[in-house]
Amino acid sequence: RAFANDEDIHSTVASEVFGVASDQVTKDQRAQAQDINFGIIYGVTAMGLARRIDGLSLDAANTLIDTYNKRFPSIQRFMNECVMFAKSNGYVETIMGRRRPLPDINSGVINIRNMNERMAINSVVQGSAADLIKKAMIDLQSRITREKLPTRMLLQVHDELVLETPDEHVESIKRVVEETMTSAMKLKTPLKVEVGSGKNWGETK
């Protein structure tokens, strides 16, 4: 719902976790929600969360994670499913079917097993994100070539693409980039893209 309504996902989560109206979420609450949103897929512990957030005690970090998991139980269920799939098959798959072997997922050494369990979750999430940006790059380059568009794709940085375009074509190319990237995959949540322009990459932010 938050993604469909184009809400700030971290503020929305903070509102749910801290039990306050979305317009009452403080900067600190949003920052804590952001840390746990990103940290949860890496298997962040209460100690790890307390280290990331200044002034957050271990008890408060435990409470924050417990509240988060109770409010969003499907996230924990999804992560458990990733681990169970890996334990049964010895690998995990991304959204487009790329496989990551995890031969030590059932290791008797707890540290190795725990590391592989974290990799099982992260490989599905980050690997699927990589699938998405690769698909977007292929689609965009195909359109550039097919339509002989006056732009060049120079660089991919995580979930960003950097292109070079003559000044007089910037606005039309921005529309092409947004259309192509937002339609790279059909997911339950709509894909959103922010397109910026400038004389250098820093100016596009």
Side-chain angles (χ1 to χ4, degrees), residues 43-113:
V44 69
T45 62
M47 185 173 293
L49 195 63
R51 285 176 182 161
R52 290 185 190 195
I53 301 173
D54 287 340
L56 188 70
S57 69
L58 187 59
D59 286 344
N62 266 313
T63 300
L64 187 56
I65 291 174
D66 287 345
T67 305
Y68 184 97
N69 287 334
K70 286 175 184 174
R71 180 59 191 85
F72 304 108
S74 293
I75 295 177
Q76 189 64 50
R77 186 160 59 247
F78 162 76
M79 295 192 296
N80 290 340
E81 287 170 357
C82 290
V83 172
M84 294 310 297
F85 183 93
K87 286 181 178 294
S88 297
N89 296 279
Y91 64 88
V92 288
E93 285 187 341
T94 67
I95 198 169
M96 294 188 76
R98 289 187 302 132
R99 292 184 178 183
R100 167 75 180 271
L102 292 165
D104 296 321
I105 190 69
N106 292 306
S107 171
V109 180
I110 190 166
N111 288 344
I112 294 175
R113 186 171 69 248

Side-chain angles (χ1 to χ4, degrees), residues 126-140:
Q126 297 283 24
S128 295
D131 285 350
L132 175 55
I133 193 66
K134 288 181 171 92
K135 176 69 163 51
M137 290 173 70
I138 291 168
D139 291 351
L140 184 55

